[in-house]
Amino acid sequence: MASEVHPAANGRRPRRGMLRAARSRGATGGDAGGTSAAGAGGSAVLRAVSPGELQPVVEPTAGPLTDRLDGRVALVTGAGSPDGIGFATARRLRALGARVAMVSTTRRIHERAAELDATGFVADLTVEAEVAALADAVAETLGDVEVLVNNAGLASKASPEVLRPVAQLTYAEWRAEIDRNLTTAFLCSRAFLGGMAERGWGRIVNLAATAGPINALPTEAAYAAAKAGVVGLTRALAMELVADGITVNAVAPGLIHTGASTAVELKQGRGTPIGRPGTPDEVAAAIAFLCSPAASYITGQMLVVDGGNSVREAQFR
């Protein structure tokens, strides 16, 4: 299914209030051990964490937790490339039963969506008004988003990657990297977390990288700063949303063989402890797990997918 995104006149989607404490959950009082609240995937009790505040503590239901996402609406950003991490993630979530929405900056997203029986949207996620319009369009087409994968950030011909030392980096180039790799995650998370909170269940997975949170390379200061910022955003959101049944995690890929990989990067990938670069499907598998009900006790974490490259002390010849 194809769909175009058109910004609303005021550029903002009305934000739903996040559900907090007893009043938002529909509870009227009671002691900390006896007041209950319904929650997806388990039961919950409301425990006093400070005077006048109750925090729901969800207890998982009996039996094994599932990795299935049947019927849940998932949105994957940056999914236009046929051999990229975004498309691989959308494909895996679709296989797990999710109803998948995919977004890219170009109309090629409709080809990717058709391959998966998913719904494609075109939007520039660095623009606040377009993100708000996307949220409305997805809700009208598929329903409220319950799983969000913030994968957008890859450079394109229209917005090429900036490789320049800080002393030579212009402010516009700095802003472009920050907006593409960090602002997109902020805007999309803000647009969809309210609906997740209202339902008491949600998964947000942000794509970081090893560059920034773990290591850095010359000429990539803006990219590294943005990806380190993604981890900070992930952890802050995890603490803000934990009482609403929403987990927020990050996945940090290392050297991955995608259509955008250069010959130098592929050579570097062969130098990892495993001896090859990773694949988009391997990264997608990690993302999909964090999106699943089975990952209910994991939040605020960064999962590195780099073939052990970041833990090796030295390069052995």
Side-chain angles (χ1 to χ4, degrees):
M1 182 181 296
S3 181
E4 300 292 330
V5 171
H6 301 286
N10 62 3
R12 292 293 300 273
R13 183 189 189 206
R15 185 183 176 192
R16 297 168 175 157
M18 289 192 297
L19 303 189
R20 313 294 292 189
R23 179 183 57 80
S24 301
R25 296 292 183 181
T28 58
D31 60 52
T35 303
S36 63
S43 61
V45 294
L46 295 174
R47 297 178 183 171
V49 292
S50 64
E53 181 181 358
L54 294 176
Q55 175 175 312
V57 180
V58 178
E59 299 174 348
T61 55
L65 292 171
T66 180
D67 62 352
R68 298 290 303 175
L69 291 165
D70 296 295
R72 296 195 183 276
V73 176
L75 172 64
V76 182
T77 71
S81 172
D83 48 13
I85 292 171
F87 182 65
T89 299
R91 180 171 56 214
R92 184 167 287 267
L93 296 180
R94 188 74 184 90
L96 291 173
R99 301 168 62 205
V100 175
M102 308 159 61
V103 62
S104 171
T105 57
T106 66
R107 294 181 60 84
R108 66 176 178 172
I109 193 65
H110 301 316
E111 299 173 16
R112 304 288 83 74
E115 294 177 45
L116 302 181
D117 190 25
T119 305
F121 298 88
V122 178
D124 182 348
L125 302 181
T126 66
V127 178
E128 185 178 16
E130 294 202 26
V131 174
L134 172 67
D136 287 334
V138 174
E140 292 172 4
T141 306
L142 294 175
D144 291 326
V145 170
E146 298 166 279
V147 175
L148 172 64
V149 179
N150 285 312
N151 175 68
L154 187 67
S156 64
K157 291 182 179 179
S159 183
E161 184 179 11
V162 178
L163 297 174
R164 210 186 306 281
V166 171
Q168 302 172 17
L169 195 65
T170 68
Y171 181 62
E173 291 169 336
W174 168 268
R175 284 296 303 270
E177 285 290 320
I178 297 298
D179 285 347
R180 180 168 56 229
N181 290 285
L182 178 57
T183 303
T184 52
F186 160 71
L187 290 175
C188 287
S189 296
R190 189 183 64 174
F192 293 102
L193 60 81
M196 295 180 187
E198 286 184 2
R199 291 182 300 278
W201 194 95
R203 298 286 186 267
I204 299 175
V205 179
N206 297 320
L207 265 290
T210 52
I214 295 174
N215 52 41
L217 293 170
T219 76
E220 293 188 3
Y223 177 81
K227 289 303 185 181
V230 167
V231 177
L233 174 65
T234 297
R235 291 171 175 160
L237 277 176
M239 295 300 96
E240 289 182 12
L241 302 175
V242 67
D244 292 310
I246 303 169
T247 65
V248 188
N249 292 287
V251 170
L255 294 159
I256 308 299
H257 188 175
T258 70
S261 299
T262 66
V264 171
E265 289 170 336
L266 295 178
K267 181 179 179 180
Q268 291 172 338
R270 291 191 291 271
T272 64
I274 285 184
R276 61 171 177 81
T279 68
D281 280 333
E282 289 171 321
V283 181
I287 295 169
F289 168 68
L290 293 173
C291 291
S292 74
S296 55
Y297 203 57
I298 304 171
T299 195
Q301 304 303 310
M302 181 181 75
L303 176 57
V304 177
V305 184
D306 73 344
N309 206 41
S310 59
V311 299
R312 179 172 52 187
E313 185 174 359
Q315 177 71 50
F316 294 98
R317 293 188 176 89

